[in-house]
Amino acid sequence: MSQTFFFKKRVRSLVIFCVVALICFASSVMTQFDLSQGIAAIPKAIVWGFSSFYPTADSFVYLSEIWVKMQETLLVSIAAAATAAIFAFVFAVFGSRITKVNGFIAMLSRAFANLSRNIDVSVWSIVLLLTFGQTPITGFFALFIASFGFLTRAFMETIDESGTDPVEALKATGAGYVPTIFQAVVPSSISQIMSWILFMIETNIRAATLVGILTGSGIGYIFDLYYKRMDYHTASLVVIVIVISILLIEQISNYIRRAML
Amino acid sequence: MTTLLEMKNVSKKYGNGTVALSDVSFSVNEGEFVSVIGPSGAGKSTLLRCINQMIQATDGEIIFDDVNVMGFKGRALRQMRTKMGMIFQNYNLVERLSVIENVLHGRLGYKSMLAGSLGLFTDDEKRQAYRLLEKLGLKEQIYRRCDQLSGGQKQRVGIARALIQNPKLMLCDEPIASLDPSSSKTIMDHLKDISDSLKITVLINLHQVDVAMNYADRIIGVSKGSIVFNGVPSELTNDNIKAIYGSDAEKLMINVEDQGRMKAAEK
């Protein structure tokens, strides 16, 4: 009997593997994608990168200009994540299984969060561009909406996970709804919530480049500008500034995470 | 002796047709120490939670302190809950807060929304929390964060949080299920002391039949959502155990008749 059990398991794994392989093969045929060609192109890309995509002394003239835009992008990313977090917390409390007021409001807030999360930040950028035009505000709103959706979902799971037991205990003491939120839900989930906000800030800075290209603001815009001017040296300097900023922010948020534990 | 709690034909049915409790009736006197035993899934936890209405019973009457509290909502429900302390198998503390903050949570039922949310407690309440912690042997840990405590210490914090409510009834949902034997004994001794010296009624769910027999004034046996035994420990026979747990006492490594005789002889 145990023989057939293991045999069945092995057959199942084999079938799953074959199906995945088939999907890969079929989709590359349909899109005329050739893996070998793709791999063969890598050395050429590296050669190009080293021969022209590096900053020269001339491009450093633009450094202060780039830095101004980078600052703008960093601030917009942080502001979007922080503002989104406030709204997301309220929605998460209403949507969480353990702190919901009633089923209907919970469903509504979940649906709202899903809508803003499942539409990508790039789509939001283009949609908002039509309303607000080429300003940093457009970038802010695009990042805000995407962050809001993601954070609501993350907070909801955090509350469900870490708040269930204390919420039950406080309800049993006769505590009201609002005190239960502030005395049980907030303290038991705050460190996780802060961690998610820091993660969101990092994600936003990465996404801000793309959002900037699409909405014509921030660091993404300036990269796009130099790139299209075929000033690859300055464009590469922009990339270096972005990478350094992201590494810096990561270091800072790691430090905050450690300090909070 | 006055009756503190009376359950009359209480039932709990779920929407999908599952019956968690069917027609449960029993009463508990003031100051009594009553233990509820039964296999996992028999409805012990549901029974306890129907009393403070963390779970809403579907039928029956729950008379607490001469008032039918069945179907209480809002302020009335919260006022009723302040008179019932509850302790849990998983302690249910806010782990990131200090011991004393967790104890003071027991006063939230008496607070306004604003004072409760901001955690504004009076000096009297803080002194009372200190006294309780001192009595439970946690004086050293008072400002320690709860995630640094051992299981037995956490459960004592849970007891302090329940006691600061000035309850008439303590509902204990398997308080020693996750504890080692020595911490279990400490917790059971504290609960017994609460019932003896403070005259607080204790209703406790237990897995350990021997512990129930040692401590309880009365044992209620639950099986499949119904009460199959209700009497003093010395009346509990191996047949009763079979009715509660559905298998022979020897197989369960319990011999209640010996234990009952021993306990009767002690008295």
Side-chain angles (χ1 to χ4, degrees):
Chain A
M1 193 191 78
S2 67
Q3 286 296 327
T4 54
F5 171 78
F6 287 114
F7 178 71
K8 270 185 191 165
K9 253 195 131 164
R10 221 162 278 150
V11 167
R12 199 184 306 151
S13 311
L14 193 69
V15 168
I16 291 170
F17 176 77
C18 288
V19 168
V20 172
L22 196 72
I23 290 171
C24 282
F25 181 71
S27 45
S28 60
V29 167
M30 277 195 291
T31 56
Q32 294 173 341
F33 170 75
D34 190 346
L35 187 65
S36 56
Q37 246 176 30
I39 293 172
I42 292 175
K44 243 167 74 184
I46 293 173
V47 169
W48 180 82
F50 275 107
S51 60
S52 43
F53 205 68
Y54 60 88
T56 56
D58 289 344
S59 52
F60 275 94
V61 183
Y62 301 104
L63 189 61
S64 67
E65 201 180 321
I66 294 168
W67 180 236
V68 168
K69 287 290 181 191
M70 191 69 227
Q71 266 178 309
E72 182 189 298
T73 304
L74 286 176
L75 291 178
V76 164
S77 303
I78 293 169
T83 339
I86 296 167
F87 286 89
F89 184 75
V90 175
F91 273 72
V93 165
F94 285 136
S96 159
R97 185 170 43 78
I98 56 163
T99 52
K100 64 181 178 193
V101 183
N102 63 49
F104 180 70
I105 297 176
M107 203 190 68
L108 212 66
S109 65
R110 272 165 191 264
F112 198 60
N114 277 342
L115 180 76
S116 58
R117 187 169 50 105
N118 287 329
I119 297 173
D120 192 67
V121 67
S122 55
V123 178
W124 283 118
S125 309
I126 294 167
V127 171
L128 292 166
L129 186 62
L130 302 173
T131 331
F132 296 104
Q134 272 196 346
T135 60
I137 291 288
T138 313
F140 171 80
F141 275 119
L143 290 173
F144 169 80
I145 294 172
S147 309
F148 165 76
F150 178 85
L151 286 178
T152 306
R153 177 64 192 271
F155 290 177
M156 230 168 343
E157 265 161 32
T158 304
I159 293 173
D160 281 348
E161 194 183 305
S162 58
T164 311
D165 286 354
V167 165
E168 184 188 27
L170 259 63
K171 262 191 190 167
T173 67
Y177 180 76
V178 182
T180 306
I181 301 293
F182 280 102
Q183 294 292 324
V185 176
V186 172
S188 42
S189 52
I190 192 73
S191 66
Q192 281 244 44
I193 281 179
M194 288 301 291
S195 195
W196 279 121
I197 295 173
L198 292 170
F199 171 80
M200 202 69 237
I201 290 173
E202 290 167 30
T203 313
N204 276 355
I205 292 169
R206 290 189 197 104
T209 317
L210 175 67
V211 172
I213 293 175
L214 293 169
T215 62
S217 61
I219 195 79
Y221 171 69
I222 210 164
F223 173 78
D224 201 31
L225 202 70
Y226 293 125
Y227 187 79
K228 283 188 178 147
R229 258 196 229 157
M230 295 200 274
D231 183 355
Y232 298 128
H233 298 300
T234 316
S236 73
L237 185 65
V238 176
V239 172
I240 289 168
V241 170
I242 294 171
V243 169
I244 290 173
S245 305
I246 288 176
L247 289 178
L248 214 70
I249 292 283
E250 259 180 12
Q251 285 305 310
I252 295 171
S253 57
N254 279 342
Y255 172 77
I256 298 174
R257 278 200 189 97
R258 266 200 308 276
M260 255 179 351
L261 278 174
Chain B
M1 236 191 244
T2 41
T3 308
L4 178 72
L5 175 75
E6 195 176 0
M7 306 281 275
K8 285 183 184 169
N9 312 102
V10 174
S11 297
K12 172 66 190 175
K13 295 182 189 76
Y14 286 101
N16 58 13
T18 325
V19 181
L21 290 178
S22 63
D23 216 17
V24 168
S25 298
F26 67 91
S27 65
V28 181
N29 291 327
E30 242 166 60
E32 212 177 358
F33 195 106
V34 179
S35 172
V36 181
I37 59 171
S40 301
K44 300 192 299 291
S45 276
T46 312
L47 175 64
L48 226 59
R49 281 174 171 73
C50 278
I51 296 170
N52 63 358
Q53 298 188 33
M54 297 298 286
I55 294 175
Q56 291 285 335
T58 29
D59 281 301
E61 280 176 39
I62 300 165
I63 318 282
F64 176 71
D65 217 11
D66 299 324
V67 182
N68 184 6
V69 296
M70 184 74 176
F72 266 26
K73 284 196 173 61
R75 184 176 289 271
L77 175 65
R78 292 202 281 117
Q79 244 159 29
M80 176 206 87
R81 281 180 181 162
T82 59
K83 291 289 149 209
M84 300 178 181
M86 189 166 192
I87 62 173
F88 306 84
Q89 179 181 346
N90 301 324
Y91 327 119
N92 293 20
L93 305 173
V94 182
E95 301 264 325
R96 291 184 61 88
L97 293 182
S98 65
V99 167
I100 190 151
E101 283 170 299
N102 268 289
V103 175
L104 287 167
H105 280 167
R107 297 301 300 173
L108 287 174
Y110 295 96
K111 298 262 158 201
S112 71
M113 190 178 94
L114 193 67
S117 302
L118 297 176
L120 304 174
F121 298 100
T122 64
D123 285 349
D124 267 353
E125 288 169 328
K126 287 172 194 161
R127 264 192 286 274
Q128 201 189 344
Y130 181 81
R131 272 198 303 275
L132 282 169
L133 287 169
E134 201 174 21
K135 205 177 139 205
L136 291 161
L138 289 170
K139 210 170 96 181
E140 312 290 317
Q141 281 79 24
I142 194 157
Y143 299 117
R144 194 74 79 76
R145 246 167 64 165
C146 283
D147 49 12
Q148 298 172 341
L149 302 182
S150 70
Q153 290 172 328
K154 284 182 190 175
Q155 194 58 285
R156 278 183 275 161
V157 177
I159 293 175
R161 179 176 63 189
L163 284 181
I164 206 168
Q165 290 176 234
N166 292 327
K168 293 192 165 180
L169 174 67
M170 280 279 265
L171 302 169
C172 313
D173 189 22
E174 302 193 9
I176 58 168
S178 327
L179 297 178
D180 64 62
S182 120
S183 310
S184 295
K185 186 172 183 316
T186 315
I187 296 298
M188 288 307 296
D189 288 343
H190 277 303
L191 291 174
K192 188 71 184 166
D193 180 54
I194 287 161
S195 126
D196 288 344
S197 62
L198 302 171
K199 301 288 171 243
I200 294 172
T201 309
V202 175
L203 192 60
I204 178 170
N205 282 350
L206 284 173
H207 265 310
Q208 301 86 336
V209 179
D210 53 330
V211 176
M213 293 191 64
N214 267 327
Y215 285 89
D217 299 325
R218 192 146 56 87
I219 288 178
I220 291 175
V222 181
S223 173
K224 293 180 187 133
S226 303
I227 291 182
V228 292
F229 176 83
N230 184 352
V232 294
S234 54
E235 285 172 5
L236 193 66
T237 62
N238 285 341
D239 285 343
N240 294 140
I241 290 294
K242 192 171 178 183
I244 297 168
Y245 289 97
S247 56
D248 286 325
E250 298 90 69
K251 282 190 191 155
L252 298 167
M253 300 186 289
I254 303 167
N255 200 336
V256 289
E257 280 162 12
D258 275 1
Q259 223 181 332
R261 269 198 298 277
M262 269 162 63
K263 213 186 168 202
E266 273 173 37
K267 286 179 180 170

